[in-house]
Amino acid sequence: MTSNISDLGLEIHRCYDEFGPIRVFENGALRYLAFGEAAEQSCVNLHQPSKLVYEYTQAMMLVLLYLPKPKQVMFLGLGAGSLVHAFHHYDQNLSIQVVELREKVVEVAQEWFALEIFPELMLKVDDAAEYIANIHPLSDLIFADIYNDEGMIEAQLSSNFLSDCYQNLSDEGVLVLNLWDEGGGSHPLAIQAIRDLFGSDHCMTCLIEDGNLIAYAFKNGVPERNIRRLQPMAKKLAKKMDIPVHKLLSRMKIV
């Protein structure tokens, strides 16, 4: 993430809800979503909405090397909708469910970030932790990326939240979390909480250059431990999604 919001370009839109401001910046083909003064939350390339701009979102796509044909995907947190764009491009028949706390964020994503409501997409305005605790549609992939202007929401690491995610995964499902530890590149408490719930050999991580740590928690264990065997699939994914899959895959490790 950019540390200085003034680097994002021209502010072209601002609105408010009970949680604070929602701001849109534009710099060429790139549009940025920000919730305040600290840093941007999300980015979409309007010329290619399905092309992921941030490395941490690109790394989240690596889960498709292990589960290449998901049918049901859930996103907890919408942002500008970059991952929705990417997964819809990956498979237009994929059923996608999004839970977003702020109705204004949904409106801004549609108006300013080219998010279209297609038949396979269901958008729910709700608190993600409360929603997943009470609704149980099994998903093959659950992505937890719940942030505000101050950083990662701590509820994302609570034992109740992780347990509810676990219960909502299909038998071969994977929970993917975007973790942030003040840019430290590690999050031992989070990893331990995941290991305690999923199992000591059911978690992988990918360290991102800007300090994010992407964690992949496999409900039924890591299906392929030899990264070299993933190279043919990695080549296909890199070509289809235009992301540096091989570079990111080299950073993945079982924890």
Side-chain angles (χ1 to χ4, degrees):
M1 293 185 180
T2 301
S3 58
N4 189 343
I5 205 167
S6 64
D7 296 336
L8 300 182
L10 177 68
E11 184 174 0
I12 59 173
H13 177 71
R14 185 186 300 199
C15 60
Y16 296 85
D17 62 11
E18 64 268 36
F19 301 100
I22 300 168
R23 307 169 70 186
V24 180
F25 294 83
E26 186 172 83
N27 190 344
L30 300 180
R31 280 197 182 161
Y32 298 89
L33 177 71
F35 293 153
E37 303 295 332
E40 80 273 19
Q41 303 295 322
S42 190
C43 180
V44 169
N45 183 331
L46 294 181
H47 292 171
Q48 297 177 275
S50 65
K51 182 176 180 178
L52 294 167
V53 176
Y54 292 144
E55 190 176 57
Y56 85 88
T57 55
Q58 295 171 359
M60 295 175 99
M61 297 290 289
L62 295 187
V63 70
L64 293 170
L65 299 176
Y66 298 89
L67 192 65
K69 295 182 179 180
K71 291 181 170 52
Q72 305 280 342
V73 176
M74 179 183 290
F75 294 101
L76 304 179
L78 173 65
S82 59
L83 282 169
V84 175
H85 284 297
F87 270 82
H88 186 54
H89 173 74
Y90 177 79
D91 182 355
Q92 294 192 354
N93 295 315
L94 186 60
S95 177
I96 299 175
Q97 184 173 10
V98 180
V99 184
E100 168 57 50
L101 177 65
R102 303 171 70 172
E103 186 171 6
K104 281 286 187 183
V105 169
V106 176
E107 294 172 2
V108 168
Q110 292 179 257
E111 183 174 356
W112 296 95
F113 293 92
L115 180 66
E116 297 181 358
I117 306 302
F118 45 88
E120 296 78 17
L121 174 63
M122 188 184 85
L123 278 167
K124 179 71 173 179
V125 177
D126 203 344
D127 178 276
E130 293 181 7
Y131 180 82
I132 203 165
N134 294 292
I135 305 295
H136 300 286
L138 290 182
S139 297
D140 300 311
L141 298 173
I142 297 177
F143 292 82
D145 189 15
I146 311 173
Y147 282 70
N148 61 20
D149 189 47
E150 297 179 355
M152 184 176 64
I153 301 298
E154 287 303 315
Q156 181 166 282
L157 297 181
S158 73
S159 58
N160 287 341
F161 176 78
L162 292 174
S163 178
D164 290 332
C165 288
Y166 181 91
Q167 296 299 326
N168 278 273
L169 285 172
S170 61
D171 289 343
E172 304 299 322
V174 188
L175 171 64
V176 183
L177 300 108
N178 176 26
L179 303 176
W180 174 259
D181 188 18
E182 300 300 325
S186 66
H187 213 306
L189 293 179
I191 299 304
Q192 188 59 53
I194 294 168
R195 285 162 52 91
D196 289 344
L197 179 62
F198 282 79
S200 59
D201 60 348
H202 288 212
C203 182
M204 299 187 73
T205 61
C206 181
L207 178 60
I208 306 305
E209 290 179 354
D210 66 4
N212 291 68
L213 186 70
I214 306 304
Y216 316 81
F218 297 79
K219 190 170 186 178
N220 199 31
V222 180
E224 179 55 71
R225 295 170 178 270
N226 188 337
I227 288 179
R228 286 183 295 179
R229 293 178 181 170
L230 297 173
Q231 294 304 322
M233 180 68 71
K235 185 176 181 180
K236 292 179 182 179
L237 183 62
K239 182 177 180 180
K240 183 173 183 63
M241 302 308 301
D242 192 16
I243 57 178
V245 173
H246 293 84
K247 171 187 172 183
L248 294 168
L249 188 58
S250 68
R251 300 185 198 159
M252 291 188 73
K253 63 179 183 178
I254 296 177
V255 294

